[in-house]
Amino acid sequence: MKKVGLLLILLGLSAASFLVFAEAPTCPADLGGKCDDSDDWKGEFFAGIPKIKYEGPSSKNPLAFKWYNAEEEILGKKMKDWFRFSVAFWHTFRGTGGDPFGAPTKFWPWEDGTNSLAMAKRRMRANFEFLKKLGVEWWCFHDRDIAPDGQTLEEANKNLDEVVELAEELQKESKIRPLWGTAQLFLHPRYMHGAATSSEVGVYAYAAAQVKKAIEVTHYLGGENYVFWGGREGYQSLLNTDMGRELDHLARFFEAAVAYKKKIGFNGTFLIEPKPQEPTKHQYDWDAATSANFLRKYGLIGEFKLNIECNHATLSGHTCHHELETARLNGLLGNIDANSGDAQTGWDTDQFLTDVAEATMIMFSVIKNGGLAPGGFNFDAKLRRESTDVEDLFIAHISGMDTMARGLRNAAKLIEEGTLGEVVSKRYSSWDSELGKQIEEGKADFEYLEKKAKEWGEMKVASAKQELAEMIFQSAL
Amino acid sequence: MKKVGLLLILLGLSAASFLVFAEAPTCPADLGGKCDDSDDWKGEFFAGIPKIKYEGPSSKNPLAFKWYNAEEEILGKKMKDWFRFSVAFWHTFRGTGGDPFGAPTKFWPWEDGTNSLAMAKRRMRANFEFLKKLGVEWWCFHDRDIAPDGQTLEEANKNLDEVVELAEELQKESKIRPLWGTAQLFLHPRYMHGAATSSEVGVYAYAAAQVKKAIEVTHYLGGENYVFWGGREGYQSLLNTDMGRELDHLARFFEAAVAYKKKIGFNGTFLIEPKPQEPTKHQYDWDAATSANFLRKYGLIGEFKLNIECNHATLSGHTCHHELETARLNGLLGNIDANSGDAQTGWDTDQFLTDVAEATMIMFSVIKNGGLAPGGFNFDAKLRRESTDVEDLFIAHISGMDTMARGLRNAAKLIEEGTLGEVVSKRYSSWDSELGKQIEEGKADFEYLEKKAKEWGEMKVASAKQELAEMIFQSAL
Amino acid sequence: MKKVGLLLILLGLSAASFLVFAEAPTCPADLGGKCDDSDDWKGEFFAGIPKIKYEGPSSKNPLAFKWYNAEEEILGKKMKDWFRFSVAFWHTFRGTGGDPFGAPTKFWPWEDGTNSLAMAKRRMRANFEFLKKLGVEWWCFHDRDIAPDGQTLEEANKNLDEVVELAEELQKESKIRPLWGTAQLFLHPRYMHGAATSSEVGVYAYAAAQVKKAIEVTHYLGGENYVFWGGREGYQSLLNTDMGRELDHLARFFEAAVAYKKKIGFNGTFLIEPKPQEPTKHQYDWDAATSANFLRKYGLIGEFKLNIECNHATLSGHTCHHELETARLNGLLGNIDANSGDAQTGWDTDQFLTDVAEATMIMFSVIKNGGLAPGGFNFDAKLRRESTDVEDLFIAHISGMDTMARGLRNAAKLIEEGTLGEVVSKRYSSWDSELGKQIEEGKADFEYLEKKAKEWGEMKVASAKQELAEMIFQSAL
Amino acid sequence: MKKVGLLLILLGLSAASFLVFAEAPTCPADLGGKCDDSDDWKGEFFAGIPKIKYEGPSSKNPLAFKWYNAEEEILGKKMKDWFRFSVAFWHTFRGTGGDPFGAPTKFWPWEDGTNSLAMAKRRMRANFEFLKKLGVEWWCFHDRDIAPDGQTLEEANKNLDEVVELAEELQKESKIRPLWGTAQLFLHPRYMHGAATSSEVGVYAYAAAQVKKAIEVTHYLGGENYVFWGGREGYQSLLNTDMGRELDHLARFFEAAVAYKKKIGFNGTFLIEPKPQEPTKHQYDWDAATSANFLRKYGLIGEFKLNIECNHATLSGHTCHHELETARLNGLLGNIDANSGDAQTGWDTDQFLTDVAEATMIMFSVIKNGGLAPGGFNFDAKLRRESTDVEDLFIAHISGMDTMARGLRNAAKLIEEGTLGEVVSKRYSSWDSELGKQIEEGKADFEYLEKKAKEWGEMKVASAKQELAEMIFQSAL
């Protein structure tokens, strides 16, 4: 076998999923061994799982929503419209439980251990069944997750087209659309030095071709956004890196992407997803402010928004709430990758968020932003490696959606009660004065301010009432 | 005694130095008890300490330079001109060894336990003797370090003027000038919610008046830069904070500062000193990129540069080298606060840098920047709490200067040898091609690049040779 | 004034409280300026604050409990007996809001700016009023918090005796007793190199004398525990430290303390409070396991338990729950310092815990431990620096108590429902087999196990059901 | 193909190396395509690489030692005997450059893309050639690195025996022996919940059988130590974990291992390798002190020593020097995994150590320990993912060996000069007094110490001279 051929097979696997193996041919468990290994098998993949329904907080049913009630209105908008939840194809359908020290642990019954086109299509059908049963109308994907890579770019594109065609067909019968698409520019060894920031000019060209295609298919499928996550755009060591040149290349790449998007009439939002590090020692899109600075420096500020991931936020030393507010105040809050890290680990754990307090703070930002549309909440979250039952996929998503729903309900309650808001507005009330107005309008120069300071003498500075604010907040959870 | 009066006395102390106490009146140790407690005592403060000289690497004398040879030329410039070393008045003359759990430990013989004007003047004389013996031509100060605060702004300004007058006189006999001045906007409880970002408008006005005066005295003393460190410009909790409004206020403040600087003809550089946190949970000037984004967003990018502190760099999750390069690539590298943190602690330890490898990387950035003038290297570093001998002040500075000198010598050696540079330029050589040029000039659109990618097929991607780069680097140390 | 005299005054202040200043003489605010500065003033200190009552979850009254209902029984025990809440004298009555960059911000109306004996007594009366209004029956103290230091050990002891006499008298009328006492061995510069681990033998002796006295007064006041927190027992640099010798000294010190305790008939529990670092770079009692190893190595394991502080737990890289379980499994869980850190900062913030999920996990450990008595929950937590109203002291404690009460209620609910417990017991059910029993009894050697492994072939490994456990847990909050 | 069969093939790969692919059949590059794919091909694998020689510090040859001179005596012992360097088979021969987001990048010319026995044998020959050319006499291995796994335990053991036989034969012609062997108890999904601490009793049995065999082959090959690294012995969440039961199981496992070792007459040292986390959220052998506590609690303290890995040390919040000293002072310093982490990343980077200062501190501990034999220095370090040339394997090891050699030379110089030692002994000189002796002998009770403290009054506490110690240390580098 040729090196390239073997490479191909292996690279079809998505980022976190190096190995997939199972008895072949397999098929949904409920068929008891008899099955059809062709790609147009159309049976039920999750036979034991019903459509997930809202049953309210007193329900003990793990396969029911206790707080997420899609059609219920909160602050004048349906819950489903506040969230626009999306399932991440890579974690849910290509995650295998592999980690840096461990082999895959997940052997889903529909997987046959191959990375064939037939398998890709069967998996896509499973995806749509999952979305429908969960009651979610958006999905997100990398190009190389959904279709096998090819020995050549042409072959890879052909594979992609074939799976996209099926996805388009499956979408037709539903409201389901991609929240966003993206290109996988980190798994293949070609990208080991970066894609747009690779030290090899040929890699830059290849990445451009791949992104071009990924934008096209996202557009074709009705995707509302397109994401750039530069997992390899950064450095491992400054000793062998020309950071200035690499950053310039990244800007050229984004400029060309913008030009191409306009050329083909794709109106979706371009989103940069900041992450400080991992796999790279230092990624260029470190956090929201760093990404904003990059966009401003290169005159790209109007063309991009940000996709804030909570786990990335904490890895960069900020809270998720901080990153959302930073994005919002820079006019850049476009989408949220709803997940959570582990406060005691220094790597991306991509857990489903189950912290109600954090969810409440997230929803404060989202409400202030007037929602996220055309963005939404993508569950960039995965099962723990040790969770190996098919139902765990549902339990995890239900838990994540319920947590966010509790966050929305709590945030709405706090806003409607107004007590917390009063603490804040009272705190800044001195700024609602004549002098406050002059300063905010840029009319108070240092000499005028010095005159005022001398007139006033020592001023009284009030308590910040942080414990009161925390008490009000905690009581609402 | 009135509250304000007592407050005054106590606030005269600089940030890290809450308490100073000693037998009063004191005087230099060498006088053996007999002394003159007036402010014009002009004897020798560091009687046992000679002028520090360069003795070369084989010297075992702790009070001699082994690598720093001020007049020696390296890469066409004198060592002293590469560094422009400065002593930080606050750490060296107001640091007392207090920490969050401990009282002061340093009882310098010239201190009398008061915060009087007389004491301030005596201390200023000690400062100039220290600078001369160490062979350093710049110093840095906060307004409230060098002179006692007052019951009113007028009184504080009067105190400041009196000490500045003496400093100016002491400068006259020498080449010594301030590398930069700054206002202490963090110690006084008035600033507990911030200065320019305080929730109280009166505090904003007071801060403006204080900065106005600090710029004036820096200008008067021939200072070449003016620094803004916003230790309280940030938040403790987002629950009680209006971050957007606070950031706007900060921008208004900087605009007014710029206007005032121009009005009085001060040509020094304005510098922002990023720090992620401490004392504040989250400071607005988190790191170099965050500060750059702020400056760009508010149209202030041409008016400020950055003062990068190594300990702040590591607290924000970056290496010092990274922060320097980020500042440099944004055209913002103005000054360095040469110190080091402890890799295992989560707070600012402000240690003297003794890591030769780090010093070498710092000097790579400085050399690429063509030096730092009108900025320089300020030793924002302090003795450990347990180091209580007068000679420790000298030993620490000598050690810091020698480490930086080794860094410069090593960086120069590596540049002159060229081997490390070759590793890098070879790595990017594919970009020195026709296509590389087209991309860098913004002439390669996605369709053209796709065409190229298809033509080329899979490209070979070379080794990054990081271990080789590390070997070359380490061998030069 | 002599150095020692001034030092004395200043050192009377507790750890985090370097400066106290106020108009002198002051008195409770409600007296409107007229007041009695003698130590036997017996009016009301918190005149506007009522006795805090339980009003239930729907109450919006910040000065009422919403979840803590002292007499209510949960799992067969009164809430007050589960918690045995204690107020930390140092934070509540000696905390001034000072931080490494800032002066004090708190000017309580009963403070007169002195560290006099009269002031110490007035403060002690305020303490008892606070405890009674809050409904808390225990308090904790350092020797030097409650009484002024002295020029000599004798004088310090005399001051302490006088204040202890008053405390004893105030205790008489109530059930209030010390949960624990301790000696402050970190503030005075004498202790800069450690107390029991100081490089100076005289400091060791002084520390012994101080601890001897502190044990005596704790015993006298009916304290049920005595705590050792070694804030300075550690090192700043291994380059100048003889760690082996210092650890031996620490063991000798503890042995002598145990001997003395027995000699005087003090039956309270000795507790070590682990903390990884701050103020020291590396403290010897790093975490629960490190402390346990020390106790075992030196044969002290039966003589001490641990006081686990949640903020210290997270600073050492563990969750609070982990540290509690580690202590419990080593038979060492004696007391909890109930507070919380900030997940994004690298120093001890000593915040009041308001995270209900964390409180629930803490209570799991406490319930498994059968409670903590004779230990309890000490609020080693302080107001934020910017919280300067007298009522903030109450709000913070109420919030902390309510959060813990929610934790207890949730833990009890989860235990009573049993669903979470079932997930765990099912997970380990294979161990409830014959082979499991043999292994647990130490009867299964490697050859026997190999034989079994060969017989069985590849075994099925079940899902860990972590997401299900998290869902059940979150739903109970 | 059966699931198990495919799993087998894939699991033969070592931990960090999920995928190996190359043109098949391949052979050493120098044969230009013609080659022999049988397992007894005996040509030269590293044809372009000479035996690495010592050329001294002025050499610019990347394939020469500049500081490591094997036969040179330092402090009375040959350099090779101080270090007893070992190459880690897994990183060097099974590392493929895969990371959580990326596929393999290394395509060594001797690899054929299979995990066959023939390939395993060819790889073993490459290993011995590598060791000889590098001049290293020890190697370390996991059972599953060196031989393919099997469908059954019997088959796996048979594979292992066959490769071990070859290794034994290759050893014969040389002094090369295993420094240690170990069992890979983390890659296979069977171990996802742990091995000795798995929730499944059958996994415990399987692990016992695997360790039994691994001890046997280590013994057979003349290995001098055997290592236990419990990468999966820990928990992901306390919510679904019975930590107490798991720890008991771990103790039972170690007891059985000790019994078996004695039974078969293996006199090698058992070593526990502490690591705080990764892949597990929290590993039971967190750090040296935690491991020591475990050993003491379960009465295993005399049966094990520790293998300290520098990268694990920093991940647990300590310096490597601290962990070495902790191990040494507990009588447990047995072996060093010589590598380094990245101070800015929160995961295990396993880099070759190139920090001369750190190497010097490591050597202080080793010298105090009288060397490490029968332990040594194992290079548990890997090439960066982007380093893909065969020569990079040599460069990295040379760089690591030279750095350690510089560390030894510097430490010896400092010890011989004695200046640093004097700073320390002077610091503790007060303990060399009568009272110091009494205390150290446990003869000074609290009453006696109090009496002394009263006699002496306030003592003078000397400067810690940390900056002086740092200056002396830095000057010697």
Side-chain angles (χ1 to χ4, degrees), chain B residues 78-89:
Chain B
K78 286 183 181 172
M79 289 184 92
K80 60 182 249 185
D81 296 328
W82 275 116
F83 291 117
R84 300 168 53 87
F85 284 127
S86 160
V87 168
F89 192 90

Side-chain angles (χ1 to χ4, degrees), chain B residues 358-377:
Chain B
E358 190 167 353
T360 305
M361 285 186 275
I362 290 171
M363 292 316 297
F364 276 143
S365 286
V366 171
I367 293 168
K368 281 191 193 161
N369 204 53
L372 294 172
F377 281 81

